[in-house]
Amino acid sequence: ALRVSQSVLPAAELTARPDINNETDWPALPSQTAASTSTPLSAQAQKWTSAKGRSITKSQTQFHVELGNRFTPLLNDQGSGSNEVNTQPSGTAKTESASGKQKLHGRPKQQPHTLIVGDVSVKDAQKMFSSNVKVICLPNDTVSDLADKILHIVADYPHLKNVVIHFGLNDLAKEESEVLKQDFTHLLKTVSCLLPKVFISGPISPVRKGDLKFSRIYSLNKFLSSACAALSLNFIENFPIFWERGHLFRADGLCLNKAGVKLFTSNLFYFTI
């Protein structure tokens, strides 16, 4: 009955409703052609495809930057990868290392300004001074031996300002006072021609060695003081500083202990500054 009532609709009304299907009298569905030719849908799909393309290009660029990292060769196995990637960082490291060595070798060594030459009494003196002071210990040499060597020793240090000489301990053991005075006179005349200031360090008074030993050392101290004044050399007085001060000596009564060496070097420094 419903279909009969709809079929009797006027023809003019059917013409005004093109969406009505004549066979079923139901509204007609949109055709696939109209959906496929929809411009907005096509444009949206194209834009989405273009965005995907840009995202892929960006990820490829980031991946390339990671490969270009200079720490990448550290992650590679030995023998893998191209030679260019593996050898360039190592070559750079070798170049930097070589330049560092050149800088170390090219740096001039600091030349000492004060030279101290002495017998066994100065063997521990270097610990008390900085790099500006060079201490040379000749424990077995006598005064005459030093007279033959001193000019050659000083020539090895062209920037010296002061030369300190402390000798005579080995000569005093021979108990030949007049020979010792002659040897010292020869030494003083030899060093008087040096350009740096020359300081003669006087003998150190021993303890518990008897009156004869004390008399010889005291006589030598007076002789050196007057001889240095005659040749315009500087004399460093050590005798009264160590007189009857056994706590500054070792058990033998001749060599200084740590406190004695500190006092001795302080006295040398006081005269040479």
Short mmCIF file of all heavy atoms in Angstrom, two decimals, residues 155-224:
data_model
loop_
_atom_site.label_atom_id
_atom_site.label_comp_id
_atom_site.label_asym_id
_atom_site.label_seq_id
_atom_site.Cartn_x
_atom_site.Cartn_y
_atom_site.Cartn_z
N ALA A 155 132.57 27.62 33.68
CA ALA A 155 132.30 27.86 32.26
C ALA A 155 131.05 27.14 31.78
O ALA A 155 130.45 27.56 30.78
CB ALA A 155 133.51 27.43 31.42
N ASP A 156 130.62 26.11 32.48
CA ASP A 156 129.41 25.38 32.09
C ASP A 156 128.14 26.13 32.45
O ASP A 156 127.04 25.73 32.01
CB ASP A 156 129.39 24.00 32.74
CG ASP A 156 130.49 23.09 32.21
OD1 ASP A 156 130.94 23.33 31.07
OD2 ASP A 156 130.91 22.17 32.93
N TYR A 157 128.23 27.19 33.22
CA TYR A 157 127.06 27.96 33.65
C TYR A 157 127.30 29.43 33.33
O TYR A 157 127.76 30.20 34.18
CB TYR A 157 126.81 27.75 35.15
CG TYR A 157 126.66 26.30 35.52
CD1 TYR A 157 127.77 25.57 35.99
CD2 TYR A 157 125.44 25.64 35.41
CE1 TYR A 157 127.64 24.23 36.33
CE2 TYR A 157 125.31 24.30 35.75
CZ TYR A 157 126.41 23.60 36.20
OH TYR A 157 126.28 22.28 36.53
N PRO A 158 126.99 29.85 32.10
CA PRO A 158 127.35 31.21 31.67
C PRO A 158 126.53 32.33 32.31
O PRO A 158 126.89 33.49 32.18
CB PRO A 158 127.12 31.16 30.15
CG PRO A 158 126.10 30.09 29.96
CD PRO A 158 126.35 29.07 31.02
N HIS A 159 125.41 31.99 32.97
CA HIS A 159 124.55 33.04 33.54
C HIS A 159 124.73 33.21 35.04
O HIS A 159 123.85 33.75 35.71
CB HIS A 159 123.08 32.70 33.24
CG HIS A 159 122.77 32.60 31.77
ND1 HIS A 159 122.61 33.71 30.97
CD2 HIS A 159 122.60 31.53 30.97
CE1 HIS A 159 122.35 33.33 29.73
NE2 HIS A 159 122.33 32.01 29.70
N LEU A 160 125.84 32.78 35.56
CA LEU A 160 126.06 32.87 37.00
C LEU A 160 126.27 34.30 37.46
O LEU A 160 126.90 35.11 36.77
CB LEU A 160 127.29 32.03 37.38
CG LEU A 160 127.15 30.51 37.31
CD1 LEU A 160 128.47 29.83 37.65
CD2 LEU A 160 126.05 30.02 38.24
N LYS A 161 125.77 34.58 38.64
CA LYS A 161 126.01 35.85 39.30
C LYS A 161 126.90 35.68 40.55
O LYS A 161 127.61 36.60 40.92
CB LYS A 161 124.69 36.50 39.70
CG LYS A 161 123.80 36.87 38.53
CD LYS A 161 122.51 37.52 39.00
CE LYS A 161 121.62 37.91 37.83
NZ LYS A 161 120.34 38.51 38.29
N ASN A 162 126.80 34.50 41.17
CA ASN A 162 127.55 34.24 42.39
C ASN A 162 128.19 32.85 42.32
O ASN A 162 127.56 31.90 41.81
CB ASN A 162 126.65 34.30 43.63
CG ASN A 162 125.91 35.62 43.74
OD1 ASN A 162 126.50 36.69 43.61
ND2 ASN A 162 124.61 35.56 43.99
N VAL A 163 129.39 32.74 42.86
CA VAL A 163 130.09 31.46 42.99
C VAL A 163 130.54 31.34 44.44
O VAL A 163 131.29 32.19 44.94
CB VAL A 163 131.29 31.36 42.03
CG1 VAL A 163 132.05 30.05 42.28
CG2 VAL A 163 130.84 31.45 40.59
N VAL A 164 130.09 30.27 45.11
CA VAL A 164 130.42 30.03 46.51
C VAL A 164 131.31 28.80 46.58
O VAL A 164 130.97 27.75 46.01
CB VAL A 164 129.15 29.84 47.36
CG1 VAL A 164 129.52 29.60 48.82
CG2 VAL A 164 128.22 31.05 47.23
N ILE A 165 132.41 28.90 47.29
CA ILE A 165 133.37 27.80 47.44
C ILE A 165 133.52 27.46 48.91
O ILE A 165 133.81 28.34 49.74
CB ILE A 165 134.75 28.17 46.83
CG1 ILE A 165 134.60 28.40 45.33
CG2 ILE A 165 135.77 27.08 47.12
CD1 ILE A 165 135.88 28.89 44.67
N HIS A 166 133.28 26.19 49.23
CA HIS A 166 133.45 25.72 50.60
C HIS A 166 134.31 24.46 50.56
O HIS A 166 133.84 23.36 50.22
CB HIS A 166 132.10 25.40 51.25
CG HIS A 166 132.21 24.98 52.68
ND1 HIS A 166 132.23 25.88 53.72
CD2 HIS A 166 132.34 23.75 53.25
CE1 HIS A 166 132.35 25.24 54.87
NE2 HIS A 166 132.41 23.93 54.60
N PHE A 167 135.59 24.60 50.88
CA PHE A 167 136.55 23.50 50.79
C PHE A 167 137.53 23.53 51.96
O PHE A 167 137.65 24.56 52.65
CB PHE A 167 137.32 23.56 49.47
CG PHE A 167 136.89 22.54 48.47
CD1 PHE A 167 135.77 22.74 47.69
CD2 PHE A 167 137.61 21.36 48.31
CE1 PHE A 167 135.36 21.81 46.77
CE2 PHE A 167 137.22 20.42 47.38
CZ PHE A 167 136.09 20.63 46.61
N GLY A 168 138.23 22.40 52.14
CA GLY A 168 139.30 22.33 53.13
C GLY A 168 139.18 21.20 54.11
O GLY A 168 140.13 20.92 54.85
N LEU A 169 138.02 20.48 54.14
CA LEU A 169 137.86 19.43 55.13
C LEU A 169 138.82 18.27 54.90
O LEU A 169 139.42 17.74 55.84
CB LEU A 169 136.41 18.92 55.11
CG LEU A 169 136.02 17.91 56.19
CD1 LEU A 169 136.19 18.53 57.58
CD2 LEU A 169 134.59 17.43 55.99
N ASN A 170 139.01 17.87 53.65
CA ASN A 170 139.95 16.78 53.35
C ASN A 170 141.41 17.19 53.59
O ASN A 170 142.25 16.35 53.93
CB ASN A 170 139.77 16.32 51.90
CG ASN A 170 138.39 15.70 51.66
OD1 ASN A 170 137.81 15.11 52.56
ND2 ASN A 170 137.88 15.86 50.45
N ASP A 171 141.70 18.48 53.38
CA ASP A 171 143.08 18.95 53.60
C ASP A 171 143.41 19.04 55.08
O ASP A 171 144.57 18.82 55.48
CB ASP A 171 143.25 20.33 52.95
CG ASP A 171 143.07 20.28 51.45
OD1 ASP A 171 141.92 20.40 50.99
OD2 ASP A 171 144.06 20.10 50.73
N LEU A 172 142.42 19.36 55.90
CA LEU A 172 142.67 19.45 57.34
C LEU A 172 143.04 18.11 57.95
O LEU A 172 143.78 18.05 58.94
CB LEU A 172 141.42 20.01 58.04
CG LEU A 172 141.14 21.50 57.82
CD1 LEU A 172 139.78 21.88 58.38
CD2 LEU A 172 142.24 22.35 58.47
N ALA A 173 142.55 17.02 57.33
CA ALA A 173 142.90 15.69 57.85
C ALA A 173 144.37 15.37 57.66
O ALA A 173 144.93 14.53 58.39
CB ALA A 173 142.04 14.63 57.15
N LYS A 174 145.05 16.04 56.73
CA LYS A 174 146.48 15.79 56.50
C LYS A 174 147.36 16.49 57.53
O LYS A 174 148.57 16.17 57.64
CB LYS A 174 146.87 16.27 55.10
CG LYS A 174 146.15 15.54 53.98
CD LYS A 174 146.56 16.09 52.62
CE LYS A 174 145.84 15.39 51.50
NZ LYS A 174 146.25 15.91 50.16
N GLU A 175 146.82 17.49 58.22
CA GLU A 175 147.54 18.24 59.26
C GLU A 175 148.79 18.91 58.69
O GLU A 175 149.86 18.88 59.30
CB GLU A 175 147.89 17.32 60.44
CG GLU A 175 146.68 16.75 61.14
CD GLU A 175 147.05 15.90 62.34
OE1 GLU A 175 148.28 15.71 62.57
OE2 GLU A 175 146.14 15.43 63.04
N GLU A 176 148.63 19.52 57.53
CA GLU A 176 149.72 20.27 56.89
C GLU A 176 149.22 21.70 56.66
O GLU A 176 148.77 22.06 55.58
CB GLU A 176 150.14 19.62 55.59
CG GLU A 176 150.71 18.21 55.76
CD GLU A 176 151.05 17.56 54.44
OE1 GLU A 176 150.71 18.13 53.38
OE2 GLU A 176 151.66 16.46 54.45
N SER A 177 149.29 22.50 57.69
CA SER A 177 148.68 23.83 57.65
C SER A 177 149.35 24.73 56.62
O SER A 177 148.65 25.46 55.89
CB SER A 177 148.75 24.47 59.04
OG SER A 177 148.05 23.70 59.99
N GLU A 178 150.66 24.73 56.53
CA GLU A 178 151.35 25.62 55.60
C GLU A 178 151.08 25.22 54.14
O GLU A 178 150.90 26.09 53.27
CB GLU A 178 152.85 25.62 55.88
CG GLU A 178 153.22 26.16 57.25
CD GLU A 178 152.73 27.60 57.43
OE1 GLU A 178 152.81 28.37 56.45
OE2 GLU A 178 152.30 27.94 58.53
N VAL A 179 151.06 23.94 53.88
CA VAL A 179 150.73 23.49 52.52
C VAL A 179 149.30 23.88 52.17
O VAL A 179 149.01 24.31 51.03
CB VAL A 179 150.93 21.97 52.39
CG1 VAL A 179 150.49 21.47 51.01
CG2 VAL A 179 152.37 21.60 52.65
N LEU A 180 148.41 23.76 53.12
CA LEU A 180 147.01 24.12 52.88
C LEU A 180 146.87 25.62 52.58
O LEU A 180 146.10 26.01 51.69
CB LEU A 180 146.17 23.75 54.10
CG LEU A 180 144.67 24.08 54.02
CD1 LEU A 180 144.02 23.45 52.80
CD2 LEU A 180 143.97 23.65 55.31
N LYS A 181 147.61 26.45 53.28
CA LYS A 181 147.56 27.89 53.02
C LYS A 181 148.07 28.22 51.61
O LYS A 181 147.51 29.08 50.92
CB LYS A 181 148.37 28.65 54.07
CG LYS A 181 147.76 28.60 55.46
CD LYS A 181 148.62 29.35 56.46
CE LYS A 181 148.03 29.31 57.86
NZ LYS A 181 148.87 30.03 58.86
N GLN A 182 149.11 27.54 51.18
CA GLN A 182 149.61 27.76 49.81
C GLN A 182 148.59 27.32 48.75
O GLN A 182 148.40 28.01 47.74
CB GLN A 182 150.92 27.00 49.62
CG GLN A 182 152.08 27.52 50.45
CD GLN A 182 153.35 26.70 50.29
OE1 GLN A 182 153.40 25.75 49.49
NE2 GLN A 182 154.41 27.06 51.04
N ASP A 183 147.96 26.19 49.01
CA ASP A 183 146.94 25.72 48.06
C ASP A 183 145.75 26.68 48.00
O ASP A 183 145.21 26.95 46.92
CB ASP A 183 146.46 24.32 48.47
CG ASP A 183 147.55 23.27 48.29
OD1 ASP A 183 148.51 23.52 47.52
OD2 ASP A 183 147.44 22.19 48.93
N PHE A 184 145.35 27.21 49.13
CA PHE A 184 144.24 28.17 49.14
C PHE A 184 144.64 29.47 48.44
O PHE A 184 143.82 30.09 47.76
CB PHE A 184 143.80 28.46 50.58
CG PHE A 184 142.54 27.73 50.97
CD1 PHE A 184 142.57 26.80 52.01
CD2 PHE A 184 141.35 27.96 50.32
CE1 PHE A 184 141.42 26.12 52.38
CE2 PHE A 184 140.20 27.29 50.69
CZ PHE A 184 140.23 26.37 51.72
N THR A 185 145.87 29.90 48.62
CA THR A 185 146.33 31.11 47.93
C THR A 185 146.26 30.94 46.42
O THR A 185 145.82 31.86 45.70
CB THR A 185 147.77 31.46 48.36
OG1 THR A 185 147.82 31.64 49.79
CG2 THR A 185 148.25 32.72 47.69
N HIS A 186 146.67 29.79 45.93
CA HIS A 186 146.59 29.51 44.50
C HIS A 186 145.12 29.48 44.02
O HIS A 186 144.79 30.02 42.95
CB HIS A 186 147.27 28.18 44.20
CG HIS A 186 147.17 27.76 42.77
ND1 HIS A 186 147.59 28.54 41.71
CD2 HIS A 186 146.67 26.61 42.20
CE1 HIS A 186 147.37 27.92 40.56
NE2 HIS A 186 146.81 26.73 40.85
N LEU A 187 144.25 28.90 44.81
CA LEU A 187 142.83 28.84 44.45
C LEU A 187 142.21 30.23 44.43
O LEU A 187 141.45 30.58 43.50
CB LEU A 187 142.08 27.94 45.43
CG LEU A 187 140.56 27.86 45.26
CD1 LEU A 187 140.19 27.27 43.91
CD2 LEU A 187 139.93 27.05 46.40
N LEU A 188 142.52 31.05 45.43
CA LEU A 188 141.93 32.39 45.50
C LEU A 188 142.39 33.26 44.33
O LEU A 188 141.59 34.04 43.77
CB LEU A 188 142.30 33.05 46.82
CG LEU A 188 141.77 32.36 48.09
CD1 LEU A 188 142.21 33.13 49.33
CD2 LEU A 188 140.27 32.22 48.04
N LYS A 189 143.63 33.14 43.94
CA LYS A 189 144.11 33.91 42.78
C LYS A 189 143.46 33.43 41.47
O LYS A 189 143.23 34.24 40.56
CB LYS A 189 145.63 33.80 42.68
CG LYS A 189 146.38 34.52 43.80
CD LYS A 189 147.88 34.39 43.62
CE LYS A 189 148.64 35.15 44.71
NZ LYS A 189 150.12 35.03 44.56
N THR A 190 143.16 32.14 41.41
CA THR A 190 142.53 31.60 40.20
C THR A 190 141.10 32.12 40.04
O THR A 190 140.68 32.50 38.94
CB THR A 190 142.52 30.05 40.25
OG1 THR A 190 143.87 29.58 40.37
CG2 THR A 190 141.90 29.48 39.00
N VAL A 191 140.35 32.15 41.13
CA VAL A 191 138.94 32.56 41.03
C VAL A 191 138.77 34.07 41.07
O VAL A 191 137.67 34.58 40.82
CB VAL A 191 138.12 31.92 42.17
CG1 VAL A 191 138.16 30.40 42.06
CG2 VAL A 191 138.61 32.38 43.54
N SER A 192 139.82 34.81 41.40
CA SER A 192 139.69 36.27 41.46
C SER A 192 139.45 36.91 40.09
O SER A 192 139.00 38.05 40.01
CB SER A 192 140.94 36.87 42.11
OG SER A 192 142.08 36.59 41.31
N CYS A 193 139.73 36.17 39.02
CA CYS A 193 139.53 36.71 37.67
C CYS A 193 138.15 36.39 37.12
O CYS A 193 137.84 36.79 35.98
CB CYS A 193 140.61 36.16 36.73
SG CYS A 193 140.56 34.37 36.52
N LEU A 194 137.31 35.71 37.87
CA LEU A 194 135.98 35.35 37.38
C LEU A 194 135.05 36.57 37.37
O LEU A 194 135.16 37.47 38.21
CB LEU A 194 135.36 34.25 38.26
CG LEU A 194 136.06 32.88 38.22
CD1 LEU A 194 135.41 31.94 39.23
CD2 LEU A 194 135.98 32.29 36.81
N LEU A 195 134.14 36.58 36.41
CA LEU A 195 133.18 37.67 36.32
C LEU A 195 132.13 37.63 37.43
O LEU A 195 131.77 38.67 37.98
CB LEU A 195 132.51 37.67 34.95
CG LEU A 195 133.41 38.02 33.76
CD1 LEU A 195 132.63 37.92 32.45
CD2 LEU A 195 134.02 39.40 33.92
N PRO A 196 131.56 36.46 37.77
CA PRO A 196 130.61 36.43 38.90
C PRO A 196 131.29 36.77 40.22
O PRO A 196 132.51 36.67 40.36
CB PRO A 196 130.10 34.98 38.90
CG PRO A 196 130.48 34.41 37.58
CD PRO A 196 131.72 35.14 37.15
N LYS A 197 130.49 37.19 41.18
CA LYS A 197 131.01 37.43 42.52
C LYS A 197 131.45 36.12 43.15
O LYS A 197 130.74 35.12 43.07
CB LYS A 197 129.95 38.10 43.40
CG LYS A 197 129.62 39.52 43.01
CD LYS A 197 128.62 40.10 43.99
CE LYS A 197 128.29 41.55 43.63
NZ LYS A 197 127.29 42.13 44.58
N VAL A 198 132.59 36.12 43.78
CA VAL A 198 133.14 34.92 44.39
C VAL A 198 133.05 35.05 45.91
O VAL A 198 133.47 36.07 46.48
CB VAL A 198 134.59 34.68 43.95
CG1 VAL A 198 135.15 33.43 44.64
CG2 VAL A 198 134.68 34.55 42.44
N PHE A 199 132.50 34.02 46.54
CA PHE A 199 132.38 33.97 47.99
C PHE A 199 133.15 32.74 48.49
O PHE A 199 132.93 31.63 48.02
CB PHE A 199 130.90 33.86 48.41
CG PHE A 199 130.07 35.04 48.02
CD1 PHE A 199 129.54 35.15 46.74
CD2 PHE A 199 129.80 36.05 48.94
CE1 PHE A 199 128.75 36.23 46.39
CE2 PHE A 199 129.03 37.14 48.59
CZ PHE A 199 128.50 37.24 47.31
N ILE A 200 134.02 32.96 49.46
CA ILE A 200 134.76 31.87 50.09
C ILE A 200 134.10 31.59 51.43
O ILE A 200 134.08 32.46 52.32
CB ILE A 200 136.25 32.21 50.27
CG1 ILE A 200 136.88 32.58 48.91
CG2 ILE A 200 136.97 31.06 50.92
CD1 ILE A 200 136.83 31.46 47.89
N SER A 201 133.56 30.38 51.56
CA SER A 201 132.90 29.99 52.80
C SER A 201 133.95 29.44 53.77
O SER A 201 134.68 28.49 53.47
CB SER A 201 131.84 28.92 52.51
OG SER A 201 131.24 28.47 53.69
N GLY A 202 134.01 30.05 54.94
CA GLY A 202 134.99 29.66 55.94
C GLY A 202 134.71 28.30 56.54
O GLY A 202 133.59 27.76 56.43
N PRO A 203 135.68 27.70 57.21
CA PRO A 203 135.51 26.37 57.80
C PRO A 203 134.50 26.37 58.94
O PRO A 203 134.24 27.39 59.58
CB PRO A 203 136.92 26.01 58.29
CG PRO A 203 137.57 27.31 58.52
CD PRO A 203 137.02 28.25 57.49
N ILE A 204 133.92 25.20 59.18
CA ILE A 204 132.96 25.01 60.27
C ILE A 204 133.71 24.43 61.46
O ILE A 204 134.43 23.43 61.35
CB ILE A 204 131.82 24.07 59.82
CG1 ILE A 204 131.05 24.71 58.66
CG2 ILE A 204 130.88 23.78 60.98
CD1 ILE A 204 130.00 23.81 58.06
N SER A 205 133.56 25.06 62.60
CA SER A 205 134.26 24.59 63.80
C SER A 205 133.66 23.26 64.27
O SER A 205 132.46 23.16 64.51
CB SER A 205 134.13 25.64 64.91
OG SER A 205 132.77 25.90 65.17
N PRO A 206 134.49 22.22 64.39
CA PRO A 206 133.97 20.91 64.82
C PRO A 206 133.77 20.88 66.33
O PRO A 206 134.14 21.80 67.05
CB PRO A 206 135.08 19.95 64.38
CG PRO A 206 136.32 20.77 64.47
CD PRO A 206 135.94 22.17 64.12
N VAL A 207 133.18 19.80 66.79
CA VAL A 207 132.98 19.61 68.24
C VAL A 207 133.65 18.30 68.65
O VAL A 207 133.75 17.35 67.88
CB VAL A 207 131.47 19.58 68.59
CG1 VAL A 207 130.84 20.93 68.34
CG2 VAL A 207 130.75 18.49 67.79
N ARG A 208 134.16 18.29 69.87
CA ARG A 208 134.77 17.10 70.48
C ARG A 208 135.93 16.55 69.64
O ARG A 208 136.08 15.35 69.45
CB ARG A 208 133.72 16.00 70.68
CG ARG A 208 132.55 16.41 71.57
CD ARG A 208 131.63 15.24 71.81
NE ARG A 208 131.08 14.72 70.57
CZ ARG A 208 129.99 15.18 69.99
NH1 ARG A 208 129.33 16.21 70.54
NH2 ARG A 208 129.54 14.65 68.87
N LYS A 209 136.80 17.45 69.10
CA LYS A 209 137.94 17.00 68.30
C LYS A 209 139.28 17.41 68.91
O LYS A 209 140.32 17.24 68.28
CB LYS A 209 137.82 17.56 66.87
CG LYS A 209 136.66 16.94 66.08
CD LYS A 209 136.82 15.44 65.94
CE LYS A 209 135.67 14.80 65.21
NZ LYS A 209 135.81 13.33 65.09
N GLY A 210 139.25 17.96 70.07
CA GLY A 210 140.50 18.29 70.75
C GLY A 210 140.98 19.70 70.41
O GLY A 210 140.55 20.35 69.45
N ASP A 211 141.95 20.15 71.23
CA ASP A 211 142.48 21.51 71.09
C ASP A 211 143.30 21.68 69.82
O ASP A 211 143.28 22.74 69.20
CB ASP A 211 143.33 21.85 72.32
CG ASP A 211 142.51 21.91 73.60
OD1 ASP A 211 141.27 22.08 73.48
OD2 ASP A 211 143.10 21.76 74.69
N LEU A 212 144.04 20.64 69.41
CA LEU A 212 144.88 20.77 68.22
C LEU A 212 144.04 20.95 66.95
O LEU A 212 144.34 21.80 66.11
CB LEU A 212 145.78 19.53 68.09
CG LEU A 212 146.76 19.53 66.90
CD1 LEU A 212 147.71 20.73 67.00
CD2 LEU A 212 147.54 18.22 66.85
N LYS A 213 143.00 20.15 66.83
CA LYS A 213 142.11 20.28 65.66
C LYS A 213 141.43 21.64 65.65
O LYS A 213 141.34 22.29 64.61
CB LYS A 213 141.08 19.16 65.69
CG LYS A 213 140.05 19.24 64.57
CD LYS A 213 140.63 18.86 63.22
CE LYS A 213 140.80 17.37 63.12
NZ LYS A 213 141.22 16.96 61.75
N PHE A 214 141.01 22.07 66.83
CA PHE A 214 140.35 23.37 66.92
C PHE A 214 141.31 24.49 66.54
O PHE A 214 140.94 25.43 65.84
CB PHE A 214 139.83 23.59 68.34
CG PHE A 214 139.31 24.98 68.58
CD1 PHE A 214 138.04 25.36 68.18
CD2 PHE A 214 140.12 25.93 69.24
CE1 PHE A 214 137.59 26.64 68.41
CE2 PHE A 214 139.66 27.21 69.46
CZ PHE A 214 138.38 27.57 69.05
N SER A 215 142.57 24.39 66.97
CA SER A 215 143.56 25.43 66.69
C SER A 215 143.84 25.53 65.18
O SER A 215 143.97 26.64 64.63
CB SER A 215 144.85 25.16 67.46
OG SER A 215 145.84 26.11 67.14
N ARG A 216 143.95 24.39 64.52
CA ARG A 216 144.21 24.41 63.08
C ARG A 216 143.06 25.05 62.30
O ARG A 216 143.27 25.85 61.40
CB ARG A 216 144.44 22.98 62.58
CG ARG A 216 145.74 22.35 63.07
CD ARG A 216 145.89 20.94 62.52
NE ARG A 216 147.08 20.27 63.04
CZ ARG A 216 148.31 20.42 62.53
NH1 ARG A 216 148.51 21.21 61.48
NH2 ARG A 216 149.33 19.79 63.07
N ILE A 217 141.83 24.69 62.66
CA ILE A 217 140.66 25.24 61.94
C ILE A 217 140.51 26.74 62.22
O ILE A 217 140.20 27.53 61.32
CB ILE A 217 139.39 24.47 62.34
CG1 ILE A 217 139.50 23.01 61.87
CG2 ILE A 217 138.15 25.11 61.74
CD1 ILE A 217 138.32 22.15 62.26
N TYR A 218 140.75 27.12 63.46
CA TYR A 218 140.65 28.54 63.79
C TYR A 218 141.71 29.36 63.06
O TYR A 218 141.45 30.47 62.59
CB TYR A 218 140.77 28.73 65.30
CG TYR A 218 140.64 30.16 65.76
CD1 TYR A 218 139.41 30.80 65.74
CD2 TYR A 218 141.76 30.88 66.20
CE1 TYR A 218 139.29 32.11 66.14
CE2 TYR A 218 141.65 32.19 66.61
CZ TYR A 218 140.41 32.81 66.57
OH TYR A 218 140.28 34.13 66.98
N SER A 219 142.91 28.82 62.94
CA SER A 219 143.98 29.50 62.20
C SER A 219 143.64 29.62 60.72
O SER A 219 143.90 30.66 60.09
CB SER A 219 145.30 28.75 62.40
OG SER A 219 146.34 29.33 61.62
N LEU A 220 143.07 28.57 60.16
CA LEU A 220 142.67 28.62 58.75
C LEU A 220 141.57 29.64 58.53
O LEU A 220 141.56 30.36 57.52
CB LEU A 220 142.20 27.23 58.30
CG LEU A 220 141.67 27.12 56.87
CD1 LEU A 220 142.76 27.48 55.86
CD2 LEU A 220 141.12 25.72 56.60
N ASN A 221 140.67 29.75 59.45
CA ASN A 221 139.57 30.72 59.33
C ASN A 221 140.11 32.15 59.29
O ASN A 221 139.66 32.98 58.48
CB ASN A 221 138.61 30.54 60.50
CG ASN A 221 137.36 31.40 60.35
OD1 ASN A 221 136.46 31.08 59.57
ND2 ASN A 221 137.29 32.48 61.12
N LYS A 222 141.06 32.47 60.17
CA LYS A 222 141.66 33.81 60.18
C LYS A 222 142.45 34.08 58.89
O LYS A 222 142.41 35.19 58.36
CB LYS A 222 142.57 33.95 61.40
CG LYS A 222 141.85 33.97 62.73
CD LYS A 222 142.82 34.12 63.89
CE LYS A 222 143.59 35.42 63.79
NZ LYS A 222 144.51 35.63 64.96
N PHE A 223 143.16 33.07 58.40
CA PHE A 223 143.94 33.25 57.17
C PHE A 223 143.02 33.53 55.97
O PHE A 223 143.29 34.43 55.17
CB PHE A 223 144.78 32.00 56.90
CG PHE A 223 145.35 31.94 55.51
CD1 PHE A 223 146.46 32.71 55.17
CD2 PHE A 223 144.78 31.14 54.53
CE1 PHE A 223 146.98 32.67 53.87
CE2 PHE A 223 145.30 31.08 53.25
CZ PHE A 223 146.40 31.86 52.91
N LEU A 224 141.94 32.78 55.83
CA LEU A 224 141.03 32.99 54.70
C LEU A 224 140.35 34.35 54.77
O LEU A 224 140.14 35.00 53.74
CB LEU A 224 139.97 31.88 54.68
CG LEU A 224 140.46 30.48 54.28
CD1 LEU A 224 139.32 29.47 54.39
CD2 LEU A 224 141.03 30.49 52.88
#
